[in-house]
Amino acid sequence: MQVALFGSGAAGLSLHSSDLDVVLTGLAAPEPVTGGFDDASKRLVVACLRRLERSCRWGPAKHELGVASSRLIARARVPVLKLQLQGGLELDVSLNDDGGIKAASFLQSFQQDFTAVRPLTLLLKCVLKQRGLSEVYMGGLGSWSLVNMVLAHLMAMSGAGGQVDHLGSMLLSFLQRYGVDFDRARQAVAVKRGGFVSKASLGEDFGRKGILSLEDPLTGREVAGGSHRYADVEELFGKLHGRLQQALEQAQQQQQQQRPQQQQQQGELQR
């Protein structure tokens, strides 16, 4: 058995208030096709997590870790034990393979090519968290899906000759893409395939209507199916784009109005 940190914390994409994802490998492995456990394996995984929960809440680990509360999400595709520590830190513990560890390495490598990945992801994570849309088990958009959306956008903008290191421009264009332009009924996010492809090209697993379709670049599986509140995410991104666009237009108008006065003042100084 190996205990490892994965997810946003391991990839350097976590907020100060983010939880830490911890995986125990070598005990159980999900099915390659679905990424989840069969009934027998899930019962074993849940039993192990319940035993761990009892140890953390009422055993010696309670004082060592300072566990204040716990919650076992047993019905998830991959069951998770959420531990709230007395200092405020949250731990999400799961039994899985090394896919999460590989995903962290994958994200670290892409951050070297696209420096805007980290600041854009952190800002968007903060916005989603404030709106209660950052937890997959509540239908929100998880970190893995979000960072893939950011990567796909930057790859597409880079291919079109955009300045992907200009954070303001990339934020505005990201909000426009996913809040206004993106057709989730026909398009899918697929970083491994260059950014975006048609849903039809990915097979039946990506054909669910109304849900964001996102291909895992490491496994090829659909990984955003749990984000059933994506319509709320899309609406939020659209509203933010509208507000930012309006603010930019107002700022440009003010600059144009002030320009003659500034030119006049410069002329008087030159005299």
Side-chain angles (χ1 to χ4, degrees):
M1 183 183 74
Q2 179 185 1
V3 180
L5 184 68
F6 74 104
S8 300
L13 296 172
S14 61
L15 302 172
H16 74 280
S17 58
S18 296
D19 52 20
L20 291 180
D21 298 304
V22 179
V23 62
L24 281 64
T25 64
L27 295 176
E31 294 180 342
V33 177
T34 65
F37 295 98
D38 58 36
D39 292 340
S41 297
K42 179 172 280 191
R43 285 194 294 269
L44 173 62
V45 168
V46 171
C48 290
L49 290 176
R50 288 194 188 282
R51 184 175 180 180
L52 178 61
E53 181 182 24
R54 288 194 297 269
S55 177
C56 292
R57 291 294 306 276
W58 299 284
K62 175 180 180 180
H63 302 289
E64 295 177 6
L65 294 176
V67 176
S69 63
S70 62
R71 179 182 181 187
L72 177 59
I73 304 174
R75 295 185 178 182
R77 182 166 59 176
V78 176
V80 176
L81 173 61
K82 302 179 77 69
L83 299 175
Q84 175 79 49
L85 306 187
Q86 292 178 356
L89 181 66
E90 291 186 7
L91 299 180
D92 283 2
V93 184
S94 59
L95 274 64
N96 212 322
D97 56 17
D98 61 351
I101 303 173
K102 293 178 180 178
S105 299
F106 172 82
L107 294 180
Q108 288 174 338
S109 66
F110 260 96
Q111 289 183 69
Q112 298 175 0
D113 298 326
F114 296 103
T115 56
V117 169
R118 186 172 187 273
L120 279 180
T121 301
L122 291 178
L123 175 59
L124 293 165
K125 283 182 67 173
C126 185
V127 171
L128 291 171
K129 190 176 183 67
Q130 289 177 344
R131 301 302 194 281
L133 292 170
S134 62
E135 295 287 355
V136 177
Y137 75 95
M138 296 177 63
L141 190 67
S143 297
W144 181 238
S145 294
L146 177 61
V147 73
N148 270 273
M149 292 167 63
V150 171
L151 281 173
H153 176 66
L154 294 177
M155 292 170 69
M157 295 300 291
S158 177
Q163 295 182 334
V164 294
D165 57 343
H166 191 291
L167 295 179
S169 176
M170 288 302 102
L171 173 61
L172 189 63
S173 57
F174 175 94
L175 295 173
Q176 178 175 346
R177 180 185 297 277
Y178 291 109
V180 181
D181 298 335
F182 189 73
D183 184 0
R184 51 190 163 95
R186 298 181 179 181
Q187 292 178 290
V189 178
V191 168
K192 183 176 65 175
R193 303 171 191 266
F196 302 96
V197 297
S198 68
K199 272 189 177 185
S201 67
L202 296 178
E204 296 180 357
D205 292 341
F206 294 82
R208 296 177 61 188
K209 295 182 179 180
I211 300 293
L212 172 70
S213 291
L214 192 152
E215 182 189 46
D216 190 310
L218 300 179
T219 66
R221 294 193 296 261
E222 203 290 314
V223 292
S227 300
H228 57 82
R229 293 184 62 196
Y230 182 74
D232 295 334
V233 174
E234 183 179 73
E235 182 182 2
L236 173 62
F237 287 164
K239 288 181 178 179
L240 290 175
H241 173 265
R243 292 173 183 173
L244 285 177
Q245 188 66 47
Q246 183 180 17
L248 284 172
E249 292 174 355
Q250 291 176 349
Q252 291 173 351
Q253 291 176 359
Q254 290 178 355
Q255 287 181 346
Q256 292 175 355
Q257 293 172 357
Q258 294 174 354
R259 191 170 299 161
Q261 182 180 358
Q262 292 174 348
Q263 292 175 347
Q264 182 180 358
Q265 291 175 347
Q266 290 177 356
E268 292 177 354
L269 290 173
Q270 289 175 355
R271 294 174 189 170

